[in-house]
Amino acid sequence: MKKQERQRYVRELLKNNNIDKQEDFVSLLKKQGITVTQATISRDIKEMQLIKVPSSDGSYSYNLPVQKKLNTEKKLTKTLRDAFVSTDVQNEMCLVKVTPGSGPAIVSLIEQMNYSFVFGTLGGDGSALIICHSNKDALKLSKILNEIVTE
């Protein structure tokens, strides 16, 4: 498995679980059929700049850094404003048309935003296909992207 794909799974685990030890990542990934060592997880944590934050029960758990999300949001805003053409929704899919060459950047930034309602993405040269969990989620994403462009 490629590092980028594994780190996407790590981000997904962070959204749905309180993880306080590296071994927890290893065991949760193993349950999904992904074999990984604690050393690999340790490198991923460092590269992804994960931080430990206080949990409601007083313990500490891993989380994505807040600043990274703010920087990603700024980058997404700037890139969308420079490249946006239109959005369209069909079922649980949101198609974002952008200027040629901008599709992969938009997809990457949307993935980095870690929207809980996004299932997956595909980036073309002049478009980004974002697959959401439901039609309602796709409409929500379309609204968010249109608001970013018109602000």
Side-chain angles (χ1 to χ4, degrees), residues 10-11 15 22 27 29-31 35 37-38 43 52 57 60 68-69 85 104 108 113-114 124 126 132 138-139 148-149:
V10 168
R11 282 190 291 277
K15 285 189 236 176
Q22 294 178 3
S27 64
L29 288 168
K30 187 175 185 178
K31 288 179 184 176
T35 304
T37 65
Q38 181 270 328
R43 286 189 295 274
K52 281 198 166 185
D57 64 0
Y60 286 82
K68 185 173 182 180
K69 184 170 183 178
V85 175
S108 176
M113 288 298 293
N114 294 314
C132 298
L139 291 168
I148 287 173
V149 174

Side-chain angles (χ1 to χ4, degrees), residues 62-118:
Y62 283 103
N63 207 331
L64 291 167
V66 175
Q67 185 61 40
K68 185 173 182 180
K69 184 170 183 178
L70 291 175
N71 288 339
T72 302
E73 195 171 338
K74 286 179 184 177
K75 288 178 188 174
L76 178 61
T77 298
K78 181 180 180 351
T79 306
L80 270 176
R81 287 183 179 162
D82 291 344
F84 183 83
V85 175
S86 67
T87 62
D88 198 7
V89 172
Q90 181 177 347
N91 298 324
E92 61 276 339
M93 297 179 287
C94 179
L95 179 66
V96 182
K97 297 221 177 200
V98 292
T99 56
S102 302
I106 296 294
V107 163
S108 176
L109 291 165
I110 287 175
E111 286 177 353
Q112 290 174 47
M113 288 298 293
N114 294 314
Y115 291 124
S116 62
F117 49 87
V118 171

Side-chain angles (χ1 to χ4, degrees), residues 30-70:
K30 187 175 185 178
K31 288 179 184 176
Q32 296 182 3
I34 302 166
T35 304
V36 66
T37 65
Q38 181 270 328
T40 299
I41 290 298
S42 180
R43 286 189 295 274
D44 285 342
I45 287 170
K46 184 176 182 178
E47 185 174 311
M48 297 169 69
Q49 301 175 351
L50 300 184
I51 56 172
K52 281 198 166 185
V53 296
S55 299
S56 57
D57 64 0
S59 65
Y60 286 82
S61 60
Y62 283 103
N63 207 331
L64 291 167
V66 175
Q67 185 61 40
K68 185 173 182 180
K69 184 170 183 178
L70 291 175

Side-chain angles (χ1 to χ4, degrees), residues 12 92 115-120 131-138:
E12 193 64 34
E92 61 276 339
Y115 291 124
S116 62
F117 49 87
V118 171
F119 176 74
I131 304 158
C132 298
H133 291 286
S134 69
N135 176 254
K136 182 180 174 184
D137 291 339

